[in-house]
Amino acid sequence: QVQLVESGGELVQTGGSLRLSCAASGGSVRTTTMAWFRQAPGKEREFVAAIYKGNSHTYYGDSVKGRFTMSRDNAKNTVDLQMNSLEREDTAVYYCGATNAVLSTIRRSSVYNYWGPGTQVTVSS
């Protein structure tokens, strides 16, 4: 049973930076596709980024491309999300997820078997 715990969410000003971390136990981040999603109030869960287990490549959602960077630390069994140039529209609860689904489906939240409880990111001017 994989367990995920996110940390690092907080209140930050527009244009600022924040780094989120997701610690995994019961499974390896190296052999599982790991992803970040986010969900704002009244909206569906949105794909942010993922590192695919098959090729270790990183994939990003269009709204964060060029501003966010996802990384993986195999030794610590964690994945991080570095968020730069934050905008008010980035305000959401950020979730870490894990799946063994095929590459063509990793942007869909429905294929993720394991989720963390989430961490709140609030961007304010």
Side-chain angles (χ1 to χ4, degrees):
Q1 185 81 1
V2 176
Q3 292 187 327
L4 306 171
V5 180
E6 305 93 339
S7 62
E10 61 181 64
L11 174 64
V12 63
Q13 289 192 332
T14 303
S17 297
L18 203 57
R19 190 175 185 89
L20 306 182
S21 186
C22 171
S25 59
S28 170
V29 297
R30 183 177 58 83
T31 58
T32 305
T33 294
M34 301 296 297
W36 288 95
F37 282 74
R38 66 187 184 186
Q39 189 164 18
K43 295 189 177 182
E44 293 188 352
R45 195 164 291 195
E46 176 190 12
F47 174 76
V48 174
I51 297 178
Y52 182 60
K53 65 171 186 175
N55 56 17
S56 294
H57 288 180
T58 308
Y59 301 85
Y60 294 97
D62 290 340
S63 61
V64 306
K65 203 172 295 183
R67 299 188 298 123
F68 291 11
T69 302
M70 182 176 180
S71 59
R72 185 178 70 191
D73 188 323
N74 294 334
K76 295 181 179 179
N77 213 32
T78 59
V79 291
D80 287 356
L81 184 69
Q82 177 65 42
M83 305 186 293
N84 298 328
S85 301
L86 284 162
E87 305 167 352
R88 292 188 64 181
E89 292 72 23
D90 296 317
T91 295
V93 177
Y94 283 70
Y95 296 93
C96 177
T99 183
N100 287 313
V102 298
L103 178 58
S104 61
T105 67
I106 65 171
R107 294 172 184 264
R108 305 177 197 168
S109 61
S110 60
V111 306
Y112 286 79
N113 309 104
Y114 303 100
W115 293 99
T119 187
Q120 176 71 48
V121 172
T122 303
V123 184
S124 174
S125 57

